[in-house]
Amino acid sequence: IMSILASLPYDFDDVAYKSQEAITAWLSTSASQIFFMQLGFLCYEAGYVKDIWAPSIILKNIEDTFVGILTYLCFTHTFVTSSPSAGGIISTPNEVFLLGVDASLYEEVFIGAIFAATCPTIISGGVLERMNSTSYMFYCFLTVLVNYSFVAHWIWNGEGWLAKLGFMDGAGAVVVHSTGAVAAWIAIWRLGPRKGSLNRDGSLKEADGAHRPIINAIGAFILWYGWYAFNVASPVAADLQAGEAVGTTALVTCVGPTWASVSALLMMHWGLATMSYDNLLGAMIAGLVSITGCCFTVSIYSASLIGFLCSPVYFGAQYFLRNRLRIDDPLQVIAIHGICGVYSCIMEGIFANDVNGHVGLIHGGYGHFLIQILGSLTVFGFNAICSFVLWYFIMERVAFRNTNIRQSPLHTFLRTTFFEKDNSLALQEVIENGTNLAKQMSLEFHVYSIASFDNEQFDFLLAVQTFRESMAQETKTTVIAQAIVGIIDTYIEPDGVSFVNVHGIQ
């Protein structure tokens, strides 16, 4: 990257150099670094869940990446950036599939696609252990196509109604993070809590913490690394003075999460929050989100205060969502990305340093402060209503009317437990053979539901061990085991934890 930049023709005496080659290189390399954040999200989520859910997390992170990018390139780009705008609400779609887009603008299309792909990735962390991949892909598509298109046009297109009012969201605190988090909130609400996550009185059980702490922590620091490009690319894209704006943004992105971590440690030390490393990582990421909306309009001293105050906001939102609303959000996606995203843009209205005419409250900008509050709350409310409409009417009533959206824990557990890499039969072949055998043998069976894997009615771990042993024994026993798995795959509704009891087989 340094070699490319060093070879570009620009004048060191001109801080505000406008070389197209330099801008292209800057945005392209920044977008590549932002794309690396997809690995950060994947590791952060996969390190938190149990091993049986890791394949599902990996699959969803792959899916939301290509769904987000393709949706943006085909449709969302023209809805966000094209001209003219229909009343400042949405662009006229005259560049669908990038038809008519000049090649000189491809670096802006590239970074726009990577930003858009980040938005649905947030949903994955919210619907842990609950949503099957097909419905997840479709929901990501709807979120990027509808929610993201409207919000990004309002704020990042000069003809958008919020942009005309002077609303500022530097690097996507509400456009990207809050939009994804609110979409996740609606999904969590409609899907309900994870199996086994509730106490008898309906309250949520204490969080287990990450099951692979090192992977979880690596993911968090990859996110921080990618966030430097996420924020620092924004002043160049906004056509500001490169030297001053980029340097300030980089340092602000450094001190914001740092002070958020300090504040979180103090709160945990004083007993105001649970002392745990995953709480600290959550506060660190919340600090990154809290500085995203104001990354190039505030000073490093204001950024330090914003970061420090972020942790009380994060822990307060976490407590309210978990203990009052009983929202099962184990990775705190709503508190980190949703609440802190709104907090970031409101703080911009308080501390902005007269960048491009944005003057914060402490400098006498009362009007700008009110605009930031209006815009942040409007976007949050719009996303909530829009996501609910998309989920309730499109997802539940049309696209998946006769299909279960929720993912079956037992189904996933059986698949990942019974079949290992060294098994002689491929998984698909085993399932097909088992299904055919089950139909031929006409086995009598009935299905009953159990609340969770540790239910007293059924020793699930013992059953798993028995099946594993039977798979290694005689062919007849193996065939029967295959038949039972075929029954499970064919007949069980994938919306709850169930088990097939086959009569006559010991």
Side-chain angles (χ1 to χ4, degrees):
I1 295 172
M2 293 176 65
S3 299
I4 293 173
L5 293 177
S7 66
L8 297 176
Y10 60 85
D11 185 359
F12 279 101
D13 295 329
D14 183 11
V15 176
Y17 67 87
K18 300 300 180 184
S19 166
Q20 184 60 43
E21 292 85 355
I23 293 175
T24 299
W26 183 267
L27 293 181
S28 298
T29 52
S30 295
S32 302
Q33 185 175 336
I34 296 169
F35 183 77
F36 194 59
M37 293 175 69
Q38 296 290 342
L39 177 62
F41 280 110
L42 190 155
C43 291
Y44 187 68
E45 296 168 16
Y48 185 87
V49 300
K50 296 179 181 179
D51 288 345
I52 62 170
W53 292 110
S56 174
I57 291 296
I58 295 170
L59 179 63
K60 285 182 173 62
N61 276 271
I62 295 172
E63 290 170 345
D64 60 46
T65 300
F66 70 73
V67 168
I69 290 175
L70 290 177
T71 304
Y72 182 86
L73 296 179
C74 294
F75 307 107
T76 303
H77 175 75
T78 186
F79 286 130
V80 173
T81 65
S82 296
S83 184
S85 172
I89 304 300
I90 197 72
S91 287
T92 304
N94 51 22
E95 294 176 342
V96 179
F97 298 104
L98 301 184
L99 297 175
V101 177
D102 191 89
S104 63
L105 300 176
Y106 279 176
E107 75 278 359
E108 296 180 14
V109 176
F110 177 38
I111 195 168
I114 302 304
F115 266 75
T118 305
C119 177
T121 305
I122 296 168
I123 302 174
S124 174
V127 297
L128 289 178
E129 307 177 18
R130 278 167 285 192
M131 197 171 183
N132 66 50
S133 62
T134 304
S135 56
Y136 174 75
M137 280 194 295
F138 189 66
Y139 190 53
C140 289
F141 166 73
L142 292 176
T143 300
V144 177
L145 177 67
V146 182
N147 299 47
Y148 189 87
S149 294
F150 279 97
V151 173
H153 179 81
W154 295 352
I155 298 172
W156 285 345
N157 187 314
E159 299 180 26
W161 71 274
L162 279 176
K164 288 181 177 180
L165 288 177
F167 182 83
M168 169 58 69
D169 181 6
V174 296
V175 174
V176 177
H177 295 276
S178 186
T179 297
V182 174
W185 192 346
I186 298 300
I188 293 169
W189 170 44
R190 299 302 297 171
L191 289 169
R194 295 165 298 153
K195 292 295 181 181
S197 63
L198 297 179
N199 295 311
R200 292 183 181 274
D201 62 356
S203 62
L204 289 168
K205 294 180 179 178
E206 290 295 325
D208 294 334
H211 291 267
R212 290 290 181 270
I214 185 63
I215 302 298
N216 186 241
I218 288 173
F221 278 96
I222 289 176
L223 288 176
W224 193 346
Y225 168 73
W227 227 289
Y228 285 113
F230 199 90
N231 286 357
V232 170
S234 299
V236 176
D239 202 31
L240 299 177
Q241 286 193 337
E244 180 180 349
V246 168
T248 300
T249 304
L251 197 53
V252 159
T253 307
C254 182
V255 301
T258 302
W259 278 108
S261 301
V262 171
S263 176
L265 281 173
L266 291 174
M267 292 185 68
M268 289 188 283
H269 178 72
W270 293 331
L272 300 175
T274 304
M275 177 68 75
S276 65
Y277 87 92
D278 48 334
N279 261 345
L280 183 59
L281 290 178
M284 183 183 81
I285 298 175
L288 288 164
V289 175
S290 70
I291 211 64
T292 299
C294 52
C295 57
F296 57 80
T297 59
V298 300
S299 69
I300 59 172
Y301 307 104
S302 297
S304 301
L305 182 58
I306 293 171
F308 190 84
L309 296 177
C310 164
S311 288
V313 173
Y314 162 64
F315 285 121
Q318 179 189 126
Y319 176 84
F320 181 77
L321 291 166
R322 182 174 181 81
N323 296 290
R324 299 301 181 186
L325 300 184
R326 295 182 176 180
I327 300 294
D328 183 21
D329 181 16
L331 282 176
Q332 312 304 330
V333 164
I334 303 169
I336 292 174
H337 300 277
I339 305 302
C340 289
V342 171
Y343 164 80
S344 175
C345 287
I346 293 176
M347 291 299 102
E348 199 279 340
I350 297 176
F351 296 103
N353 276 335
D354 194 13
V355 176
N356 275 11
H358 299 100
V359 181
L361 181 64
I362 63 172
H363 302 294
Y366 304 103
H368 181 61
F369 173 63
L370 294 177
I371 289 171
Q372 290 298 111
I373 294 178
L374 170 67
S376 300
L377 297 182
T378 300
V379 169
F380 194 92
F382 167 80
N383 280 322
I385 295 171
C386 188
S387 294
F388 173 76
V389 170
L390 292 175
W391 185 282
Y392 186 78
F393 291 102
I394 304 299
M395 297 279 289
E396 293 184 4
R397 296 293 181 269
V398 179
F400 299 95
R401 184 179 58 180
N402 300 317
T403 307
N404 290 290
I405 297 176
R406 192 179 180 99
Q407 182 167 305
S408 165
L410 177 64
H411 188 272
T412 303
F413 191 85
L414 290 172
R415 282 176 174 270
T416 55
T417 303
F418 289 164
F419 307 106
E420 299 174 354
K421 293 181 180 179
D422 58 350
N423 198 291
S424 58
L425 292 175
L427 174 60
Q428 187 60 39
E429 183 179 352
V430 172
I431 294 297
E432 291 176 357
N433 291 344
T435 302
N436 294 332
L437 286 168
K439 293 178 180 177
Q440 293 171 12
M441 295 167 67
S442 299
L443 297 174
E444 180 185 1
F445 67 90
H446 71 270
V447 178
Y448 63 89
S449 297
I450 56 176
S452 62
F453 291 152
D454 59 352
N455 192 288
E456 295 179 359
Q457 299 178 36
F458 180 65
D459 190 342
F460 195 83
L461 296 179
L462 179 60
V464 169
Q465 183 63 30
T466 303
F467 270 108
R468 276 188 160 176
E469 292 174 358
S470 68
M471 291 291 281
Q473 291 175 1
E474 299 180 4
T475 305
K476 183 176 180 181
T477 309
T478 303
V479 169
I480 293 173
Q482 293 175 11
I484 292 174
V485 175
I487 293 172
I488 292 169
D489 226 52
T490 305
Y491 296 105
I492 286 194
E493 293 289 337
D495 62 347
V497 184
S498 306
F499 183 78
V500 172
N501 179 17
V502 182
H503 295 282
I505 298 180
Q506 301 298 321

